[in-house]
Amino acid sequence: MYPPILGIESSCDDTSASVVHNGYILSNVIANQEVHKEYGGVVPELASRAHQANIIPVVEKALRLAGVEKDEIGAVVFTRGPGLMGALLVGVSFAKGFALARKIPLIEVNHLQAHILVHFIKEKGNEVRHPSFPFLCLLVSGGHTQIVLVKDYLDMEVLGQTIDDAAGEAFDKCAKMMGIPYPGGPLVDRYAAEGDPNAFRFPRPEAGGLDFSFSGLKTSFLYFLRDREKEEPGFTSKNINNLCASLQSTINGILLEKVVEAAKKTGAVNIALSGGVAANSGLRKVFAEEGEKRNWNLFIPELRYTTDNAAMVAITGYYKYLEKDFAPLDIAPLARYSY
Ligand code: KG4
Ligand code: ZN
């Protein structure tokens, strides 16, 4: 038996706290920051201020929902990076203060590793399958797009990644061009459900090997909308469902194709999805269909564990706790942090 562990996530625009006990998640509280909507993207300074306002109530709520007292917490885990420096600093400073005051170990985690380890979250009364090692994970979020070979909980190798924009960025930026508010990904998903994925064809930029490229798609989408609007004003709003469905199917097609290639190259049959874009219903569907065809053991996280959350941070911290992999109190956050 180990003591409960408190996890803190503050790398971008979600302030989140979670309590994990012996690998089981007892609570996972997330405060989203609505303040960025009117700016069409995350404003770092506003994110940092909102984290400061949110962090104490979010932690208190996570402890309350877990039924755990502050004094029972045996370690505190935080996201060290990658992320926005000002946002990370709030979580790091809080975690340090908490660890120092309670004289408990401090544990740092990599946000990307944490997204992948959602697949090991356990919940009482909600038992799910966990992948066995090694497995391939497609990590697709607002800031990252990678194919990762996961050899063990804390032993991961990036086989391919985007050379420019992340998949989530492609969703969000193209959504913005269509007048869809930030973050556009979830709304594109919703409109796409009513549209025809074959209505329009967009190019699939090729980056070589297992790498991705999305900036060319973004540019051709922009020119396509501009040209069609010239011919027919109001084209975008009239065709929003078909545009979203075609865009979504193009992005998901690029992602799937590279994972198929990676699976062939490595011989992997255990395939997992992680990160905010893994919430996309089209992506979940095409992977389920392809997985069926190829006999993959497919692992798709529950929706609430795809986007940023502290449960993933707490579970990663738990595995580091087992290894006694503790951080010094003078540790600094990292805006860029590779495995
Ligand atoms: O993992 P995440 O919460 O934050 C980062 O670490 O970046 O991912 C956020 C990204 C955003 O780009 C958002 O638009 C995208 O995930 N996203 C989606 C969906 N839900 C979230 N993209 C497409 N379809 C969705 N349903
Ligand atoms: Zn994330």
Side-chain angles (χ1 to χ4, degrees), residues 112-253:
L112 304 178
Q113 249 177 357
H115 264 301
I116 293 172
L117 294 185
V118 285
H119 290 286
F120 298 96
I121 286 176
K122 291 193 279 184
E123 271 174 300
K124 291 257 158 72
N126 180 25
E127 300 299 333
V128 294
R129 294 179 310 130
H130 305 292
S132 51
F133 300 112
F135 66 93
L136 279 185
C137 187
L138 173 68
L139 169 57
V140 269
S141 72
H144 298 271
T145 298
Q146 301 182 331
I147 298 179
V148 183
L149 177 64
V150 187
K151 301 171 198 167
D152 206 337
Y153 296 109
L154 302 166
D155 184 6
M156 305 182 184
E157 185 191 342
V158 179
L159 301 183
Q161 58 191 322
T162 182
I163 57 166
D164 40 55
D165 291 350
E169 231 175 324
F171 270 107
D172 296 341
K173 287 182 176 167
C174 292
K176 195 172 176 183
M177 294 172 203
M178 293 185 279
I180 296 174
Y182 178 86
L187 285 167
V188 170
D189 192 355
R190 207 183 302 158
Y191 291 128
E194 309 291 320
D196 173 6
N198 299 311
F200 306 109
R201 287 192 79 79
F202 301 112
R204 290 184 176 199
E206 180 47 65
L210 294 176
D211 285 340
F212 301 91
S213 168
F214 288 103
S215 79
L217 170 63
K218 181 185 65 188
T219 313
S220 36
F221 194 74
L222 178 71
Y223 291 156
F224 178 82
L225 291 184
R226 190 195 57 186
D227 294 346
R228 299 301 287 263
E229 276 289 337
K230 238 187 243 162
E231 289 165 19
E232 185 193 344
F235 168 84
T236 308
S237 51
K238 255 184 259 162
N239 292 280
I240 196 90
N241 293 344
N242 284 347
L243 283 167
C244 287
S246 303
L247 173 72
Q248 177 170 297
S249 129
T250 307
I251 296 173
N252 292 345

Side-chain angles (χ1 to χ4, degrees), residues 2 30 84 120 140 157 198 207 252 266 294 300 319 330 335:
Y2 298 98
I30 305 170
L84 301 170
F120 298 96
V140 269
E157 185 191 342
N198 299 311
N252 292 345
T266 56
R294 295 183 181 274
I300 302 181
Y319 287 108
D330 62 355

Side-chain angles (χ1 to χ4, degrees), residues 9-336:
E9 160 62 34
S10 74
S11 65
C12 191
D13 59 344
D14 296 297
T15 319
S16 182
S18 168
V19 178
V20 64
H21 196 196
N22 294 316
Y24 283 88
I25 296 296
L26 303 184
S27 64
N28 181 39
V29 176
I30 305 170
N32 303 113
Q33 302 181 358
E34 294 296 319
V35 61
H36 308 288
K37 272 216 166 80
E38 62 183 288
Y39 300 95
V42 177
V43 183
E45 178 56 28
L46 296 181
S48 178
R49 284 190 224 167
H51 284 305
Q52 285 173 36
N54 291 341
I55 192 133
I56 289 173
V58 162
V59 168
E60 280 178 345
K61 189 168 174 192
L63 290 168
R64 195 170 65 245
L65 292 180
V68 167
E69 298 292 329
K70 272 194 206 96
D71 309 342
E72 295 174 75
I73 295 290
V76 55
V77 194
F78 66 92
T79 298
R80 185 182 188 195
L84 301 170
M85 188 48 93
L88 290 165
L89 266 169
V90 178
V92 177
S93 311
F94 179 89
K96 282 182 183 177
F98 196 94
L100 190 63
R102 318 215 79 80
K103 298 189 177 55
I104 55 174
L106 183 66
I107 299 172
E108 57 90 15
V109 306
N110 180 308
H111 181 81
L112 304 178
Q113 249 177 357
H115 264 301
I116 293 172
L117 294 185
V118 285
H119 290 286
F120 298 96
I121 286 176
K122 291 193 279 184
E123 271 174 300
K124 291 257 158 72
N126 180 25
E127 300 299 333
V128 294
R129 294 179 310 130
H130 305 292
S132 51
F133 300 112
F135 66 93
L136 279 185
C137 187
L138 173 68
L139 169 57
V140 269
S141 72
H144 298 271
T145 298
Q146 301 182 331
I147 298 179
V148 183
L149 177 64
V150 187
K151 301 171 198 167
D152 206 337
Y153 296 109
L154 302 166
D155 184 6
M156 305 182 184
E157 185 191 342
V158 179
L159 301 183
Q161 58 191 322
T162 182
I163 57 166
D164 40 55
D165 291 350
E169 231 175 324
F171 270 107
D172 296 341
K173 287 182 176 167
C174 292
K176 195 172 176 183
M177 294 172 203
M178 293 185 279
I180 296 174
Y182 178 86
L187 285 167
V188 170
D189 192 355
R190 207 183 302 158
Y191 291 128
E194 309 291 320
D196 173 6
N198 299 311
F200 306 109
R201 287 192 79 79
F202 301 112
R204 290 184 176 199
E206 180 47 65
L210 294 176
D211 285 340
F212 301 91
S213 168
F214 288 103
S215 79
L217 170 63
K218 181 185 65 188
T219 313
S220 36
F221 194 74
L222 178 71
Y223 291 156
F224 178 82
L225 291 184
R226 190 195 57 186
D227 294 346
R228 299 301 287 263
E229 276 289 337
K230 238 187 243 162
E231 289 165 19
E232 185 193 344
F235 168 84
T236 308
S237 51
K238 255 184 259 162
N239 292 280
I240 196 90
N241 293 344
N242 284 347
L243 283 167
C244 287
S246 303
L247 173 72
Q248 177 170 297
S249 129
T250 307
I251 296 173
N252 292 345
I254 296 169
L255 295 171
L256 178 66
E257 195 178 292
K258 290 284 167 149
V259 172
V260 168
E261 205 176 315
K264 278 192 199 149
K265 257 190 192 153
T266 56
V269 288
N270 296 327
I271 311 286
L273 302 181
S274 279
V277 179
N280 185 267
S281 54
L283 189 74
R284 296 164 87 92
K285 186 162 171 267
V286 289
F287 268 81
E289 286 165 1
E290 195 73 19
E292 185 90 36
K293 253 195 275 169
R294 295 183 181 274
N295 270 330
W296 285 347
N297 297 318
L298 187 64
F299 298 88
I300 302 181
E302 283 183 40
L303 279 181
R304 63 203 161 113
Y305 293 136
T306 53
T307 46
D308 289 347
N309 64 86
M312 69 188 198
V313 174
I315 196 78
T316 307
Y318 169 70
Y319 287 108
K320 287 201 156 183
Y321 184 91
L322 297 182
E323 305 270 308
K324 294 201 166 38
D325 186 352
F326 303 142
L329 276 170
D330 62 355
I331 193 164
L334 297 171
R336 289 169 176 273

